[in-house]
Amino acid sequence: TASVPKWAVAFKYPPETAETTLTDIVVQVGRTGVLTPNAVLRPVQLAGTTVSRATLHNIDFIRSRDIRIGDTVLVQKAGDIIPEVVRICPDKRPPDTHVYQMPATCPCCGEPVSRDEEAAVRCTNNACPAQLLRALEHFVSRDAMNIDGMGGAILKALKDRGLVQDPADLYALNRDEIAQIEGLGEKSADNLIAAAERSKQAGLDHLIFALGIRQVGQKMAKNLARRFGSMEALMAADRDTLCAVDDVGEITADNILTYFSHPQSRALIEKLRAAGVKMTYDSEGTGQLLAGLTFVLTGTLPTLKRSEAAALIEAQGGKVSSSVSGKTSYVVAGEDAGSKLTRAQSLSVPIIDEETLLQMLGGDTREEE
């Protein structure tokens, strides 16, 4: 008999499926304005839980499978977690179904939508209420500005009361305004105000990530902060300069330029500056043992999490990249290293293990390589 693939150990293979009726398609607006269609299902038992919703990803996904309201569909849990529609059952399709069309206007604010170079349909209104709430949730999250205690329910209450129109307004709240929210009091209000005050010193990398620029994740935000050092320099950068930053490609560079070209974005930056939010980057590095070297981490390391290894490398002046190229100095490989290891071998990039990395961190051994 054929052996079970290694990846099947973590997930059931083949995954469990269930058949049910797709009763409606509803559209959710994300923090970047993307309209995501979701299937409303007749509740069905699947992998130990009752499933009544499933992601439909985007309009291309729907069209490629010819999914329509009223269809009988087969659903499964992607990665044993997220319900998704696998396919329709064409022999059970009712005669009165229609090809699904994405809405021409945003279901939240009514403004026009547009389709970009990807499969995404987006609301064109930067002030869309649905985008605002999710943008606020992202802004206060741990990896962004980390305003401890400022959860979704509190943000919604603040938004519904008209107290917060953009993330900068979080820094203008007073004790009485927060204390009036149901379930909160003066002590909670004081704690939230103190948390907001602390977050002003998060630094440029956290602020860039908090802004929610498309395709700019936490790691890229740090690369941008390290390269430019200040918000002013980043906002003044041109396309070629942005593309020279580690992991920033042409599309991401265009997204950054587009974000800062909007008057609303520049107004937000100025409000944050006026509120006292730090807009410069202080390098966390205390040494230069790995200065000028670029590392790629792959696989499971024996004792360090990859995030911990990355922090150690950056603390000694090194850079950590997500992809292997001719500019990569070393690939640090652990157990079950994948395509990055193969790529490194093909480019003759030196491959080291965790022990060698720790030796390099303990003394400057670059001349020995």
Side-chain angles (χ1 to χ4, degrees):
T1 59
S3 60
V4 176
K6 291 178 68 176
W7 55 265
V9 175
F11 307 115
K12 294 179 181 178
Y13 181 75
E16 182 179 338
T17 59
E19 193 176 288
T20 188
T21 303
L22 192 156
T23 61
D24 197 4
I25 295 177
V26 296
V27 174
Q28 182 179 23
V29 184
R31 70 174 175 84
T32 60
V34 174
L35 275 62
T36 302
N38 291 278
V40 179
L41 307 171
R42 178 172 52 80
V44 62
Q45 285 293 313
L46 177 62
T49 62
T50 300
V51 172
S52 59
R53 294 287 184 105
T55 180
L56 293 174
H57 302 291
N58 53 52
I59 188 61
D60 285 353
F61 181 90
I62 294 174
R63 288 175 178 168
S64 67
R65 290 160 176 78
D66 191 23
I67 298 171
R68 305 183 186 186
I69 296 173
D71 276 339
T72 297
V73 296
L74 200 67
V75 294
Q76 69 179 26
K77 287 188 177 180
D80 258 4
I81 299 174
I82 304 173
E84 66 176 358
V85 174
V86 180
R87 60 176 175 83
I88 65 169
C89 302
D91 56 323
K92 298 182 179 180
R93 167 171 286 172
D96 56 348
T97 62
H98 302 282
V99 174
Y100 179 75
Q101 301 290 339
M102 288 289 286
T105 58
C106 174
C108 181
C109 69
E111 291 294 314
V113 300
S114 64
R115 177 164 173 166
D116 57 21
E117 69 279 358
E118 304 164 0
V121 175
R122 296 178 186 273
C123 173
T124 57
N125 178 17
N126 288 338
C128 174
Q131 292 185 59
L132 173 59
L133 181 57
R134 290 174 177 83
L136 291 170
E137 291 173 347
H138 174 73
F139 187 88
V140 305
S141 63
R142 179 176 298 178
D143 292 331
M145 299 305 286
N146 191 23
I147 303 182
D148 187 39
M150 193 74 78
I154 294 175
L155 291 170
K156 185 176 186 304
L158 292 171
K159 181 183 76 70
D160 291 346
R161 289 169 179 257
L163 297 174
V164 177
Q165 302 297 325
D166 61 44
D169 288 338
L170 295 171
Y171 296 106
L173 295 169
N174 60 50
R175 173 199 262 192
D176 292 340
E177 290 171 333
I178 297 175
Q180 290 174 8
I181 296 174
E182 184 178 355
L184 300 181
E186 292 184 354
K187 179 64 174 178
S188 296
D190 287 340
N191 290 338
L192 288 172
I193 291 173
E197 189 65 28
R198 288 193 300 271
S199 78
K200 293 180 181 180
Q201 300 302 312
L204 181 61
D205 53 330
H206 286 267
L207 177 57
I208 294 171
F209 179 57
L211 293 176
I213 303 170
R214 287 176 56 197
Q215 296 186 336
V216 176
Q218 185 182 5
K219 182 178 178 182
M220 189 176 294
K222 177 165 283 191
N223 289 343
L224 291 167
R226 184 187 292 114
R227 166 62 180 81
F228 294 103
S230 70
M231 183 63 75
E232 292 89 343
L234 173 59
M235 293 172 68
D238 58 23
R239 192 170 189 261
D240 290 341
T241 306
L242 289 168
C243 287
V245 178
D246 287 347
D247 298 330
V248 178
E250 294 180 354
I251 294 176
T252 303
D254 288 341
N255 288 338
I256 296 170
L257 292 171
T258 298
Y259 178 85
F260 287 119
S261 70
H262 286 304
Q264 300 99 317
S265 300
R266 290 184 170 268
L268 173 61
I269 298 299
E270 290 310 310
K271 283 183 67 174
L272 290 167
R273 190 192 311 279
V277 174
K278 185 176 182 179
M279 298 206 173
T280 56
Y281 178 72
D282 296 331
S283 174
E284 298 173 356
T286 57
Q288 295 295 309
L289 294 176
L290 305 182
L293 299 180
T294 299
F295 294 78
V296 172
L297 304 168
T298 182
T300 303
L301 302 179
T303 65
L304 295 172
K305 295 180 180 178
R306 280 193 279 184
S307 59
E308 294 171 339
L312 291 173
I313 291 169
E314 291 172 349
Q316 288 297 335
K319 295 182 179 179
V320 180
S321 176
S322 61
S323 59
V324 180
S325 71
K327 298 180 180 180
T328 304
S329 305
Y330 297 96
V331 168
V332 183
E335 186 178 354
D336 295 329
S339 58
K340 293 178 183 178
L341 178 61
T342 304
R343 173 73 171 163
Q345 292 168 335
S346 69
L347 294 176
S348 299
V349 174
I351 300 167
I352 62 175
D353 57 13
E354 180 190 289
E355 182 180 357
T356 303
L357 172 63
L358 293 175
Q359 290 174 357
M360 295 174 70
L361 290 165
D364 195 344
T365 60
R366 284 173 287 164
E367 295 182 359
E368 301 174 8
E369 296 299 325

